Amino acid sequence: MALDVELYQGESRQLVRTEPLIALLRPAFAAETAPFRGNPRFVLMLRNDPGPETYDGDLELTNLRADFGYIHVAIHMEGRVVYQKPYSVNSLVGPVLARMARELAPEERRWAFRIAGLPSSEDGGDGDSPQRLPPVVDGTDDIDVSRSARLPFGIRPAAEPEIPLLDLAEYGVTLTDPEVPVAVLLGAGVQRHLMDMELSTEIEEGGFLVGRAFRRADDPGRHAVIVDEVLPAEHSGASLMHFTFTGDSFRAMSGLLGDRQLVGWYHTHLFQTERTIGLSRTDIDLHRDTFRRPWQVAALINLTSRRRVLTCYASSDDWMAPCPIRNLDDDADSHRSAHPSLGHK
């Protein structure tokens, strides 16, 4: 099925351009196809997974079909697949459409686009893509806590343990933005483990961050965490675009906590991140529903063919704000800024 990209101008969203999706993508992959002979054949698989609605550039570009937010690109040449990688739709077609929009009407700031010919959201699915289904959990039941007065047992909130203070300066940390909600310190060997651990390139992987939570001595209303260990999640479900915890995932993890705390979670993305935020809407919902402590963080490991990039986020009002990260394996005697992301080639 041939797909077209429609470009709309202004608040009235007047249709001003229609281009075949393949025609837009060919120039973007010129470097990948240059070493081979013949004409490249593109095989595109759009995923029915919500993605970012707006492309982050120097103009406003809204994706009107953000329900299909991701696209897997495979390029066939010389009888074989020479390149394949998943992307978010915005990161792939956004730069091309932004250039086109500037040429059509340089003074216009508001644009929108959609990929025409897609099925309705209800018709999408994972299809035959690689996936790991979450195991069926037996012996569970839902409890309506609003009816707790009529239950044969009581339900009350557990008392929050007192969170100690931490002086970041003692760890050689200087914050370029003191108002960040959480500062993340990686304990001995943690960054090396995250960068070198075996991770799938076909489905998302994830797990838990274990360590200690603190209030910052310079601003007790804000927090810092020290990550001591990374625990891959057991009994989880996953696909190319999703990672899912189950109750058994948390039960297995809790047996390994000891006197430490669950300071957050991590998972991988196999597509290029947006510049403003790498988390998908599904990731944000999972974090806000499951990891509700203000000091719990969501760590994202973005995988590409050549490198891994680690970025951490924490809840901040109605946003997920990037957290500064400090690797304590570095020289702690010299005060250095904590960076928003770490990675290696």
Side-chain angles (χ1 to χ4, degrees):
M1 176 177 63
L3 297 174
D4 292 330
V5 178
E6 298 175 343
L7 182 62
Y8 299 85
Q9 180 181 348
E11 293 187 15
S12 62
R13 292 183 176 171
Q14 178 184 0
L15 177 63
V16 295
R17 194 76 168 263
T18 301
E19 293 284 344
L21 177 58
I22 292 292
L24 290 180
L25 296 185
R26 285 183 184 277
F29 292 96
E32 285 74 17
T33 58
F36 305 96
R37 297 179 180 178
N39 294 321
R41 181 170 68 90
F42 285 77
V43 177
L44 308 178
M45 182 175 65
L46 278 116
R47 308 291 303 174
N48 183 205
D49 291 283
E53 292 184 358
T54 304
Y55 168 70
D56 176 51
D58 58 355
L59 49 79
E60 181 181 321
L61 182 61
T62 302
N63 183 357
L64 301 179
R65 287 304 306 267
D67 52 323
F68 281 80
Y70 301 96
I71 182 171
H72 185 273
V73 179
I75 304 176
H76 297 247
M77 297 187 73
E78 300 179 354
R80 60 191 177 93
V81 178
V82 299
Y83 181 88
Q84 60 176 334
K85 182 180 176 181
Y87 296 84
S88 69
V89 169
N90 287 10
S91 66
L92 190 58
V93 306
V96 180
L97 294 178
R99 287 194 297 270
M100 185 182 298
R102 286 192 293 269
E103 293 172 0
L104 290 171
E107 73 287 351
E108 181 65 67
R109 312 309 302 166
R110 301 190 68 176
W111 297 82
F113 75 95
R114 77 182 184 104
I115 298 178
L118 294 175
S120 64
S121 301
E122 291 77 11
D123 297 332
D126 284 340
D128 297 326
S129 63
Q131 58 181 310
R132 179 179 65 240
L133 296 176
V136 177
V137 181
D138 296 323
T140 63
D141 199 0
D142 293 328
I143 298 174
D144 183 358
V145 295
S146 65
R147 299 176 57 251
S148 59
R150 297 191 295 274
L151 294 173
F153 52 87
I155 299 175
R156 66 175 190 256
E160 290 284 350
E162 183 178 356
I163 302 178
L165 294 174
L166 178 74
D167 186 355
L168 292 175
E170 293 182 2
Y171 289 84
V173 175
T174 356
L175 297 178
T176 55
D177 179 6
E179 295 187 359
V180 295
V182 182
V184 179
L185 284 65
L186 303 181
V190 170
Q191 183 190 359
R192 186 168 57 252
H193 181 58
L194 289 169
M195 293 296 106
D196 296 337
M197 66 191 298
E198 184 176 348
L199 294 170
S200 172
T201 57
E202 294 187 336
I203 60 174
E204 292 188 359
E205 300 283 6
F208 302 101
L209 304 177
V210 173
R212 294 159 287 160
F214 301 90
R215 292 176 296 136
R216 280 171 35 197
D218 62 309
D219 187 347
R222 302 182 189 275
H223 297 88
V225 295
I226 297 179
V227 181
D228 294 325
E229 190 175 359
V230 177
L231 300 176
E234 301 178 21
H235 314 291
S236 60
S239 68
L240 180 70
M241 298 293 179
H242 285 302
F243 178 81
T244 306
F245 292 111
T246 65
D248 285 338
S249 302
F250 283 90
R251 275 190 286 274
M253 173 274 303
S254 63
L256 302 173
L257 269 182
D259 59 354
R260 300 171 299 175
Q261 295 163 293
L262 176 61
V263 297
W265 64 293
Y266 75 92
H267 77 297
T268 60
H269 273 186
L270 308 179
F271 52 87
Q272 181 177 326
T273 59
E274 301 296 318
R275 284 188 290 172
T276 51
I277 188 166
L279 298 177
S280 69
R281 188 177 308 161
T282 303
D283 300 334
I284 295 172
D285 291 342
L286 188 156
H287 184 83
R288 291 186 176 277
D289 291 342
T290 309
F291 298 87
R292 300 184 176 184
R293 301 293 188 270
W295 38 263
Q296 288 180 317
V297 299
L300 173 64
I301 304 174
N302 185 245
L303 300 180
T304 70
S305 58
R306 297 177 181 172
R307 66 180 309 197
R308 298 181 183 185
V309 177
L310 171 68
T311 312
C312 291
Y313 301 90
S315 293
S316 175
D317 299 326
D318 59 348
W319 184 245
M320 292 292 290
C323 301
I325 307 172
R326 174 74 154 89
N327 179 18
L328 296 182
D329 284 336
D330 293 338
D331 181 8
D333 294 330
S334 59
H335 287 238
R336 22 178 119 178
S337 297
H339 296 283
S341 61
L342 299 173
H344 76 160
K345 293 184 177 180

